[in-house]
Amino acid sequence: MESDKKKAIRALLDKRQKEKTVTFEIARQWLVGEGMLDKDGELRPQYGGEDKSGRKD
C-alpha cells in the first residue's frame, strides 16, 4: 500500500477513535456496536471474555 494511503487511513482511524472515546458511554456503545462487547458490556469470548453459553467446542 502506498505511503500516502496509509497516512490517510491512519488519520481517519485516529479521528474516529477520538470521536468514539469522548465519554465512557459513547466508547461502550461503540464497542458493543462493533461486536467486541455484549449488551451487558462484557468482553465477548472471541476477544478473551468468559464464555457463558455453556458450549464446549
Side-chain angles (χ1 to χ4, degrees):
M1 189 177 290
E2 298 170 19
S3 179
D4 290 342
K5 277 187 176 181
K6 286 181 182 179
K7 287 180 184 177
I9 290 170
R10 184 67 202 182
L12 288 172
L13 291 172
D14 287 344
K15 180 182 177 203
R16 181 176 173 145
Q17 186 247 343
K18 285 178 186 172
E19 292 171 351
K20 299 297 185 178
T21 58
V22 172
T23 67
F24 176 81
E25 190 57 36
I26 290 172
R28 187 177 192 176
Q29 289 173 359
W30 178 42
L31 293 172
V32 169
E34 292 293 325
M36 293 185 76
L37 300 179
D38 64 16
K39 63 180 173 59
D40 298 322
E42 299 293 324
L43 195 60
R44 291 192 175 270
Q46 62 264 41
Y47 299 106
E50 184 180 337
D51 187 358
K52 299 175 187 172
S53 69
R55 294 184 326 171
K56 294 189 179 192
D57 293 341

